[in-house]
Amino acid sequence: VGAGDAGALLLRELNQYHTGKRQVIGFIDDDKTKIGKRMVGIKVLGSREEIIELANKYEIDEIIIAMPSVKGKNIKDIIKICKKTSCKLTILPGVYEIIEGSVSVSQLRPVDVEDLLGRDPVELDNVAVTKYLSGKTVLITGAGGSIGGEIVRQVAKMYPRKLLLVGKGENSIYEIMQDMNLEYPQLKKVPIIADVRDEERINAIMDYFKPQVVFHAAAHKHVPLMEYQPAEAVRNNILGTKVIAETAAKHKVETFVMISTDKAVNPTSVMGCTKRVAEMLVQSMNKGSSTRFVAVRFGNVLGSRGSVIPLFKKQIAKGGPVTVTDVDMKRYFMTIPEASQLVLQAGAMAKGGEVFVLDMGKPVRIYDLAKDLINLSGFVPGKDIEIKITGLRPGEKLFEELLSAEDGTEKTTHSKIFTAKIKDVDKAELQRQIVDILQITEGDAVVRKLQEIVPTYTPNRDAFKK
């Protein structure tokens, strides 16, 4: 599917190296002027409307989608048509995933949930991003996590002088170091096992390495898990941010970017509320500091550790059931590279004090996502694999929001990044409240104090108390 340059290159390689494995029967293209003509000796048989009919007529085994520069929604629509056939479905990744524009059979991969989301590739302002990262020492907390690890990979492309990979778990830092040594052997990188709450240790790290840019991705993120230990969520997400941010200001770091979440908006969970307090803290730190402090807020990230896709895949592998909390539950989704690239872009745009909101597109119904994933795995939902509704978990809500009702957004120079119009925070008062909450250890008392700090926090702990 796609009788363009990518399709032609792929056909030549298939003819040259894969003659015994794949025989190409024809092309599909929506350009009416191409239909009936030949490309590299192979005929353009018809448009997307004829895919099902042609697949049956020619007894096709496999459909390859070779349209790397086409918009996400178009790809999504074509996949839906192709899924109505019994053919194996493979796809050539998007242009931004293909290095140096080369096209190869080795890059073909099965169609995945990311393709069904229909999201367009991110267009980065590489000049602006490279400008604030090139030749700099960049520190990334939570560097072994899904988002932190991808930020490491994206920063590595921008010619930094040195990367400081900070994480609490030695295995995850070991793994990201292994990856980076393979991908960027010449780049200077330092693995650092440290807890972001350890002020003395963080201070010593910044004293020694003098980073100019900090990406703060370390956090507890599992919503139901944090309902069971509110004090721990406060210590990691609020105290951890406080230590890193204050130490960054003290060492005159140029840019500080904190990773936030849509769950910080009108929070119903301890995790979301602690991230909102961390946002407020970062926003307040901007006053009276030479460091540009910003937060970047986005929704769920496909394939990140502990997210819904890996869970569904495990459940499908075991034969089901696939568990969904509510038929109507919706979430915003984006891919890990997309979120990380936009975080870098937001850092380039930072004047200081902003909470940036990423354009997450339309929210996706989790029930539909489960059905799509079962289909992609070659099973029939409800017949081969059951979908089981389990009810809301502690701290969860049916719909996430990227803004509260009183917040508006302002456009920025990037089409996928907005600035949330958030009221200024009283820095001294916030600092006093943070000192108070850090003294509290009992869970319900922590929750009451969080409500005092964030009046829009409405705890959803009914499921927790059952």
Side-chain angles (χ1 to χ4, degrees), residues 11 14 19 26 83 98 154 158 169 186 189 198 205 214 296 309 341 343 379:
L11 176 60
L14 286 166
T19 44
K83 288 302 292 178
I98 298 175
Q154 298 293 343
M158 303 297 162
Q186 305 305 319
K189 39 209 167 302
D198 186 341
I205 291 163
V214 172
V296 182
I309 302 293
Q341 286 170 7
V343 165
F379 299 108

Side-chain angles (χ1 to χ4, degrees), residues 153-207:
R153 290 182 184 91
Q154 298 293 343
V155 172
K157 296 175 186 173
M158 303 297 162
Y159 313 103
R161 191 171 75 82
K162 190 181 286 178
L163 280 182
L164 310 175
L165 314 186
V166 178
K168 197 163 62 168
E170 61 168 353
N171 287 336
S172 56
I173 293 296
Y174 169 79
E175 281 167 16
I176 187 73
M177 275 298 287
Q178 293 293 97
D179 290 352
M180 294 307 291
N181 285 336
L182 281 173
E183 289 175 55
Y184 300 93
Q186 305 305 319
L187 180 62
K188 289 179 183 169
K189 39 209 167 302
V190 185
I192 300 171
I193 308 300
D195 189 329
V196 289
R197 299 175 287 193
D198 186 341
E199 193 173 345
E200 203 176 317
R201 176 91 171 105
I202 297 301
N203 197 51
I205 291 163
M206 290 211 195
D207 248 350

Side-chain angles (χ1 to χ4, degrees), residues 343-361:
V343 165
L344 264 59
Q345 184 73 60
M349 294 157 65
K351 291 183 178 71
E354 301 100 330
V355 174
F356 288 113
V357 180
L358 302 189
D359 173 11
M360 298 293 298

Side-chain angles (χ1 to χ4, degrees), residues 84 173 318 326 329 391:
K84 290 175 182 167
I173 293 296
K318 286 183 177 173
D326 193 288
M329 178 174 271

Side-chain angles (χ1 to χ4, degrees), residues 334-347:
M334 65 195 334
T335 65
I336 297 177
E338 184 183 7
S340 304
Q341 286 170 7
L342 287 172
V343 165
L344 264 59
Q345 184 73 60

Side-chain angles (χ1 to χ4, degrees), residues 106-154:
S106 64
Q107 290 162 328
L108 290 175
R109 58 169 174 77
V111 166
D112 209 342
V113 181
E114 281 93 335
D115 305 304
L116 287 169
L117 275 186
R119 291 188 66 79
D120 298 335
V122 172
E123 286 171 21
L124 273 186
D125 178 355
N126 276 323
V127 175
V129 175
T130 307
K131 193 177 170 186
Y132 87 104
L133 294 173
S134 178
K136 303 287 174 71
T137 297
V138 182
L139 183 149
I140 297 130
T141 73
S146 315
I147 300 294
E150 186 61 29
I151 289 172
V152 169
R153 290 182 184 91
Q154 298 293 343

